[in-house]
Amino acid sequence: MPMTVRAEHVAPAARRPTPQGDTHDAPRTTRPTRQGKPHALAAGADDIPWVLDRCRALVRPSLEEAVGRLHPWVGEMAAYSFGWCEVGGAPADASGGKGVRQALAVLGAEAAGVPGRAGVAAAVAVELVHTFSLLHDDIMDGDGDRRGRPTVWKAYGTGPAVLAGDALFALAVETLAAEPGGARAVRTLSVALGDLVRGQADDLLFADRPWTGPQRVRPDEYRAMAEHKTGALLGCAAALGAVLGGAGSETAAALDRAGRHLGVAFQIVDDVLGIWGDPLVTGKPVHGDLRERKKTFPVLVALGSPRGDRIADLLESGDAPETAATLIEEAGGRSAALTEARRHITAVETALAGVPLTAGAAGELRSLLGYLVRRDV
């Protein structure tokens, strides 16, 4: 979409001073106490919003500084995608997401025994890559809305959105390369990006495969896709924070494994919510994934049951999603999905237990991982 490029189109957020001043490593002991007791080393579920806020406050100034180095028009599109501005550059305060990946990077550094500041560059790089992937995903999927606003390609046009995504990817690599130990960090990111592309390719190809027969998508193929598309970047986030914090390869590899298992669990729980979740909680219509005929884990399990042909007919026609949801549950799709998610959460715990991690940060990391999948299913 054509528009005049002016200096004032630089994202206002990129120049906004931060209320914390120049000190962003907030003391870990400043969390409010609950019921008169000092906080425990391991954060509880109620503390997770505090953890996310703390990590976002630490990362935001560096993320804004990085985006501010982009071409003004491209920087505006990036700022729009983060919720910092409207089309044209006017300031906004829209939701830019919870900042889970940047929190994983900060906690990965702290779990490795260094201040969270050491993981900020990793957090910035992973957040840039995540946003780059969303910009391109929205184009490939034809999604017109994200977090209650038009997606970047809808707001600015397809070509500009592709350009903005490319710029974010390049900026992520530049951010890591400038750090001490940057070569190792860039290699870690490159592996994750290769897996992300592989997972995205499989996901796109799944859509064209039949519901039944020898060419149908199997649950194990779906697990691999979810690990690559969702888990690779989560694992990379935690591992990169540790890498830039000077952690050994064993610790970084364990954090990467934990994040990959988390990605599979997160995706499968999301699949359950996409069929049976409360719209008031998920923000999606009930049975939304069935209406869109998505090949999700509960569906793939149910298609392998004696009811599979009947379920396939309903999914193919798009008729009676309520009936399809009932049949999928009766065929064991929902219970199998939740069992699979729990299996991967156990694998997360196993990976983290295998290496020495700083107790306080490791507790917050475990709580964050659990928070992401223990949703209302």
Side-chain angles (χ1 to χ4, degrees):
M1 127 178 208
M3 66 180 292
T4 303
V5 178
R6 302 193 299 270
E8 58 266 32
H9 282 151
V10 179
R15 299 192 298 263
R16 186 164 54 241
T18 59
Q20 295 90 352
D22 293 328
T23 303
H24 302 289
D25 279 309
R28 301 177 60 81
T29 56
T30 58
R31 184 188 305 144
T33 59
R34 300 186 183 278
Q35 299 177 348
K37 299 177 183 178
H39 71 83
L41 287 175
D46 290 343
D47 292 311
I48 293 305
W50 182 90
V51 173
L52 292 171
D53 287 346
R54 177 176 72 84
C55 293
R56 281 196 303 266
L58 183 62
V59 174
R60 174 75 178 258
S62 296
L63 183 59
E64 291 178 345
E65 188 277 329
V67 171
R69 298 200 303 270
L70 295 171
H71 181 284
W73 184 37
V74 176
E76 179 192 310
M77 287 186 279
Y80 176 87
S81 68
F82 288 123
W84 302 342
C85 76
E86 305 291 354
V87 175
D93 191 23
S95 171
K98 294 182 177 69
V100 167
R101 288 158 189 81
Q102 50 190 286
L104 287 174
V106 170
L107 293 177
E110 292 176 347
V114 297
R117 168 62 59 184
V120 166
V124 169
V126 172
E127 191 69 11
L128 292 171
V129 167
H130 174 56
T131 306
F132 140 72
S133 72
L134 294 182
L135 263 61
H136 285 195
D137 281 358
D138 287 339
I139 294 170
M140 287 185 284
D141 296 340
D143 289 338
D145 293 286
R146 180 173 290 279
R147 302 188 185 109
R149 298 203 303 170
T151 50
V152 174
W153 74 272
K154 274 290 188 180
Y156 290 88
T158 302
V162 172
L163 180 65
D166 292 345
L168 291 174
F169 168 65
L171 186 61
V173 175
E174 175 191 333
T175 298
L176 285 182
E179 292 294 304
R184 181 184 171 199
V186 169
R187 285 196 299 272
T188 301
L189 180 65
S190 296
V191 171
L193 281 170
D195 283 345
L196 189 155
V197 171
R198 185 177 293 108
Q200 180 67 44
D202 284 338
D203 194 30
L204 290 173
L205 289 171
F206 286 174
D208 294 327
R209 288 171 61 178
W211 294 104
T212 59
Q215 297 302 313
R216 73 178 181 88
V217 181
R218 310 286 175 168
D220 60 334
E221 293 178 282
Y222 187 88
R223 288 187 201 97
M225 180 279 294
E227 179 192 332
H228 291 145
K229 182 179 177 181
T230 305
L233 201 54
L234 291 171
C236 177
L240 272 181
V243 165
L244 293 186
S249 57
E250 184 180 352
T251 297
L255 290 169
D256 181 74
R257 283 196 304 276
R260 285 171 179 265
H261 283 293
L262 168 67
V264 179
F266 180 87
Q267 184 61 61
I268 290 174
V269 169
D270 203 54
D271 292 346
V272 173
L273 292 172
I275 299 176
W276 297 284
D278 182 349
L280 295 177
V281 176
T282 65
K284 301 177 182 179
V286 66
H287 306 141
D289 282 0
L290 298 182
R291 296 177 194 278
E292 296 178 21
R293 300 192 292 180
K294 291 184 177 180
K295 293 184 174 74
T296 59
F297 192 87
V299 171
L300 298 178
V301 170
L303 287 171
S305 75
R307 298 172 185 251
D309 289 340
R310 171 62 175 150
I311 293 169
D313 289 341
L314 289 171
L315 293 172
E316 186 62 36
S317 68
D319 295 333
E322 298 86 355
T323 303
T326 298
L327 290 175
I328 290 166
E329 185 162 13
E330 291 175 351
R334 182 173 185 168
S335 61
L338 295 176
T339 297
E340 183 71 13
R342 285 190 289 269
R343 185 175 74 82
H344 284 280
I345 288 300
T346 299
V348 169
E349 292 289 347
T350 300
L352 295 179
V355 291
L357 300 173
T358 303
E364 289 187 341
L365 183 60
R366 284 186 172 91
S367 294
L368 176 59
L369 298 179
Y371 170 81
L372 294 177
V373 294
R374 294 187 180 101
R375 292 174 284 171
D376 188 8
V377 296

